[in-house]
């Protein structure tokens, strides 16, 4: 899979995002890492030009509440509804159902085992192979839990 | 909607040619996956006009940072620039970390710029054949210049000449201290050598060492100083890149690399290639003997 790992919002730490990027690489995926402080528009543009299958978003500072849904919306507008979006970082449990409704398919808290993330990516691949919805704009109510 | 391959390519090519980024992005994936070749998308060859430029050099010398400076320079002059940034795939997992975009701020905000990351996918020679076709396609889609960034590690540095009209080798200060034998090949083929990080000490000394080493070896090449950090030398580099003539005497080396690249990819596209590789790896077949027995077409 081609996976973009991006960090919207203003906080300046990307260690977690880098660890995820490396773990996914070791899981056999091609990971495009975009660096800190990207706007939703910039992230969507990267997904588009790189023709990514998946987008992983990392947030530590509350950026998720507004920025994650905004990115999902832009992806759909740009015709990237088939891209699978997942999130990670510090995301309170109370905020999650909102994000699933926006089309995000998995949320990984701090301390998630890297193997779990790789399992998620493989599950997405399996679902694509049998034609089940996984994209941000493909509906259905499946998410990783 | 699922389209047939032929349909997909023609429709997407037309859209890409008329400037649709998403269609170009999809076509590049098909090219990378080996699903399309130049015939199936109706592209004719690229003539060596200096518009496809290879940028190579050791890890961390500042290739991506310099490319960012070049693309922002050229795009303010109204040029459209495409970049193919190639990074190695891990031979064990097959995965890759493609991180060159981090240094290219224009990549996700400037509409005259299109940056695409490629993994080597373990092609022998370190550069997938698809890179050449991808660069051609980008040219045909209205990008005035295509820059190809490759990590220099022995053979893959040189293989770039089979896809690029011009090749630039990037060095950083002190890397000139050890002009290793394995670098000689790329140094002689490079049309231009840049010592980047000229804001750091010893840059000038490195440039002089490289210049004199090249003079001794009988293949003088223009050596420039630049800094992606301060922007020093970037304008000079940008204009040199568009005006240098193809390096005298490099034609033979280029032709040799092109031949090897074409040869390797025709060998690897044989239908029985995985069986051959398995047989060799299990020791059932000897690689050299196999070549002698099966590829003796030149005798016939
Ligand atoms: N001082 C100084 N640092 C630079 C300059 N250009 C790049 N760097 C730094 O060098 C490091 C590597 O830069 P990159 O542009 O990623 O180098 P690269 O050659 O593309 O690296 P790979 O793609 O990993 O091979 C970064 O930390 C840059 O900030 C320069 O002109 N001066
Ligand atoms: Mg780079």
């Amino acid at each position: 899979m081609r996976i973009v790992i991006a960090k919207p919002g203003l906080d300046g730490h990307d260690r977690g995002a880098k660890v995820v990027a490396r773990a996914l690489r070791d899981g056999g995926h091609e990971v495009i890492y975009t660096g800190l402080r990207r706007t939703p528009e910039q992230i969507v543009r990267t997904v588009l030009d790189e023709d990514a299958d998946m987008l992983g978003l990392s947030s530590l500072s509350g950026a998720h509440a507004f920025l994650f849904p905004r990115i999902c919306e832009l992806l759909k507008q740009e015709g990237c509804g088939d891209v699978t979006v997942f999130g990670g970082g510090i995301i309170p449990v109370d905020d999650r159902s909102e994000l699933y409704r926006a089309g995000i398919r998995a949320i990984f808290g701090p301390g998630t085992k890297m193997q779990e993330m790789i399992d998620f990516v493989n599950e997405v691949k399996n679902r694509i192979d049998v034609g089940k919805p996984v994209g941000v704009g493909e509906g259905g109510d499946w998410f990783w839990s | 909607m699922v389209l047939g391959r032929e349909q997909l390519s023609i429709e997407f090519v037309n859209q890409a040619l008329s400037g649709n980024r998403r269609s170009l992005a999809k076509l590049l994936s098909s090219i990378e996956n080996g699903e399309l070749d130049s015939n199936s998308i109706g592209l004719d060859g690229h003539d060596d006009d200096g518009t496809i430029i290879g940028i190579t050099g050791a890890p961390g010398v500042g290739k991506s940072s310099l490319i960012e400076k070049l693309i922002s320079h050229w795009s303010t002059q109204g040029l459209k620039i495409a970049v193919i940034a190639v990074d190695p795939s891990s031979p064990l997992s097959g995965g890759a970390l493609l991180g060159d975009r981090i240094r290219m701020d224009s990549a996700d905000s400037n509409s005259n710029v299109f940056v695409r990351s490629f993994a080597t996918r373990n092609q022998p020679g370190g550069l997938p054949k698809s890179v050449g076709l991808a660069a051609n396609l980008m040219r045909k889609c209205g990008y005035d210049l295509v820059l190809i960034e490759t990590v220099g590690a022995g053979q893959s540095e040189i293989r770039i000449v089979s896809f690029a009209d011009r090749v630039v080798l990037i060095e950083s200060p002190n890397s000139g201290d050890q002009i290793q034998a394995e670098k000689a090949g790329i140094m002689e083929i490079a049309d231009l050598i840049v010592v980047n990080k000229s804001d750091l000490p010893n840059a000038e000394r490195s440039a002089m060492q490289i210049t004199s080493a090249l003079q001794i070896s009988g293949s003088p090449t223009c050596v420039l100083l630049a800094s992606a950090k301060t922007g020093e030398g970037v304008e000079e580099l940008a204009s040199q890149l568009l005006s240098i003539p193809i390096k005298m005497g490099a034609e033979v080396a280029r032709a040799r690399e092109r031949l090897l690249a074409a040869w390797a990819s025709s060998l690897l596209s044989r239908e029985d290639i995985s069986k051959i590789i398995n047989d060799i790896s299990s020791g059932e077949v000897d690689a050299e003997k196999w070549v002698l027995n099966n590829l003796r077409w030149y005798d016939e």
Side-chain angles (χ1 to χ4, degrees), chain B residues 156-208:
Chain B
S156 64
E157 292 188 310
I158 296 197
R159 191 52 57 82
I160 183 73
V161 306
S162 56
F163 303 126
D165 306 333
R166 301 285 183 279
V167 176
V168 184
L169 175 67
I170 315 284
E171 294 278 339
S172 60
N174 301 324
S175 61
D177 282 353
Q178 345 106 17
I179 302 177
Q180 314 97 328
E182 75 241 36
K183 262 196 192 158
I186 184 68
M187 285 232 171
E188 280 159 26
I189 288 180
D191 298 283
L192 191 65
I193 296 176
V194 179
V195 177
N196 184 39
K197 310 196 185 185
S198 64
D199 54 290
L200 299 180
N202 293 333
E204 261 166 70
R205 195 172 57 104
S206 297
M208 268 155 55

Side-chain angles (χ1 to χ4, degrees), chain A residues 53 72 75-76 79-85 100-105 124 127-129 131-142, chain B residues 1 22:
Chain A
D53 306 299
C72 294
L75 281 171
K76 291 176 219 169
C80 299
D82 57 344
V83 173
T84 305
V85 183
Y100 293 133
R101 262 201 300 280
I104 288 177
R105 299 293 183 169
V124 167
R127 288 178 62 91
I128 291 173
D129 288 344
K132 290 186 182 160
V134 289
V136 64
E138 289 176 347
D141 51 12
W142 176 76
Chain B
M1 183 174 55
R22 183 154 172 79

